């Protein structure tokens, strides 16, 4: 890319390098044109493809509900407390202690 100052418009301009095309992501397959509708990820998935999860009523209601978020928070908190209790009051043998094994797995 080359850049320069356009005196008539009073702005900085950029131009693609000669013989080159616009920069592309490493995951997109070259198609020879710059039309984003024809770009593909990994050579098979169209770049403009989207999955709308809210078209299913169950998913939409779960995402809108305050209870689903609160339930997930409570379950995570209970699990965290159980792991802390196992680490504090559990056995000191490393491969028998749930707290130690859990930390090593998720480290």
């Amino acid at each position: 890319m080359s850049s320069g100052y356009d005196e008539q418009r009073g702005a900085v301009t950029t131009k693609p390098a000669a013989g080159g095309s616009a920069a592309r992501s490493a995951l997109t397959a070259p198609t020879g044109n710059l039309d984003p509708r024809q770009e593909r990820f990994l050579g098979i998935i169209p770049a403009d493809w989207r999955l709308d999860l809210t078209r299913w009523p169950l998913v939409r209601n779960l995402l809108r509900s305050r209870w689903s978020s609160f339930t997930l928070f409570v379950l995570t908190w209970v699990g965290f407390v159980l792991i802390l209790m196992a680490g504090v009051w559990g056995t000191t043998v490393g491969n028998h202690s749930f707290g130690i094994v859990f930390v090593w797995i998720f480290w």
Side-chain angles (χ1 to χ4, degrees):
M1 289 239 163
S2 64
S3 62
Y5 183 73
D6 186 0
E7 293 180 10
Q8 292 178 348
R9 292 190 302 170
V12 175
T13 60
T14 59
K15 299 176 186 175
S21 62
R24 295 180 193 200
S25 170
L27 294 176
T28 58
T31 58
N33 60 9
L34 299 178
D35 187 7
R37 292 172 293 182
Q38 295 180 2
E39 291 289 327
R40 296 189 173 273
F41 293 109
L42 303 174
I44 54 173
I45 302 170
D48 61 348
W49 180 80
R50 301 289 185 261
L51 176 62
D52 184 17
L53 294 175
T54 59
R55 68 180 174 197
W56 295 303
L58 177 65
V59 175
R60 182 175 45 243
N61 290 336
L62 282 175
L63 291 174
R64 287 184 179 175
S65 172
R66 291 183 181 195
W67 284 105
S68 61
S69 175
F70 180 72
T71 304
L72 183 63
F73 168 77
V74 168
L75 289 175
T76 306
W77 184 79
V78 168
F80 178 71
V81 168
L82 288 175
I83 292 167
L84 284 178
M85 289 173 53
V88 172
W89 291 297
T91 179
T92 57
V93 178
N95 60 348
H96 290 185
S97 174
F98 178 71
I100 293 173
V101 171
F102 185 81
V103 167
W104 276 103
I105 288 172
F106 286 101
W107 187 266

